[in-house]
Amino acid sequence: MSALDGAVIAVAGAAGPAGRATLLRLAEAGATVVASDADASRLAEAVDAARYAHGGATVTGDTVDLLDLGAARAWADRTEKEYGRIDGLVHLVGGWRGSSSFAETDLGDWDVLEDLLIRTVQHTSLAFQGGLQRGGNGRYLLISAAGAGKPTAGNAAYAAAKSAAEAWTLALADAFRKEGGEDGPHAAAAILIVKALVHDAMRAERPNAKFAGFTDVKELAEAIAGVWERPASDVNGKRLWLTEKP
């Protein structure tokens, strides 16, 4: 039996390619999946695809404004009340802005990325911490990029935002560690790090591209599911590399 069988997992940013792959993998493992995204139509398509692929799986979708802490808390409370527990929050909200040089950096990009990459992490982590702790085997998973630790001139805003999101997630991990006391953490916050993601549509558009070092969204989904197979103490506060370290 999978460690995810019967688990209740929330997925934020579920409508993109990585989200779709994750919904499919979690449903396949027997989890109840509660998905959210800002794009209602794309979310509905992703939820329907996961339900169709795994008949009988419970996969639901909800448009939640994760820039509103109250809305994020309401989503977490609603999920725990309806299903009796919450065992995971997978954070897939993403976005990228960059420039051709450091001097040409547009600080407007920072404003966008601060919301997408930092505020949503702050709000989901604050909203779900209690439920994940109560679940007994909860996981908060952030997907980050190798570039956060090795910023390039044109990626200042993106790398800085990703670094801040990682730091915030590690602070959550420390909270789980302290709450666990001598018995060790009962929940875990971890960071899965990729160089970049690739999916079938990208390969079809660029058939000659090698996408060296990229992680396929299906591989990411498999790695996400695998985190529940490991003890909380093994993954809490860890950066789990799915690509070579820079």
Side-chain angles (χ1 to χ4, degrees), residues 33 39-40 45 49 59 89-90 99 117 125 137 144 161 183 200 207 234:
V33 189
D39 189 319
E45 291 174 1
V59 184
L89 187 289
V90 181
S99 59
L117 305 183
S125 59
N137 193 37
S144 191
D183 295 334
D200 291 344
D234 282 3

Side-chain angles (χ1 to χ4, degrees), residues 125-183:
S125 59
L126 290 169
F128 281 86
Q129 179 195 2
L132 294 175
Q133 185 71 28
R134 287 187 290 272
N137 193 37
R139 301 286 185 272
Y140 184 97
L141 302 182
L142 174 72
I143 314 307
S144 191
K150 192 176 181 180
T152 57
N155 267 340
Y158 177 78
K162 279 292 190 183
S163 294
E166 288 193 16
W168 189 274
T169 302
L170 294 176
L172 173 62
D174 191 53
F176 285 144
R177 179 188 63 81
K178 290 178 177 176
E179 288 169 355
E182 293 182 359
D183 295 334

Side-chain angles (χ1 to χ4, degrees), residues 1 77 178 181 226:
M1 182 180 293
D77 292 345
K178 290 178 177 176

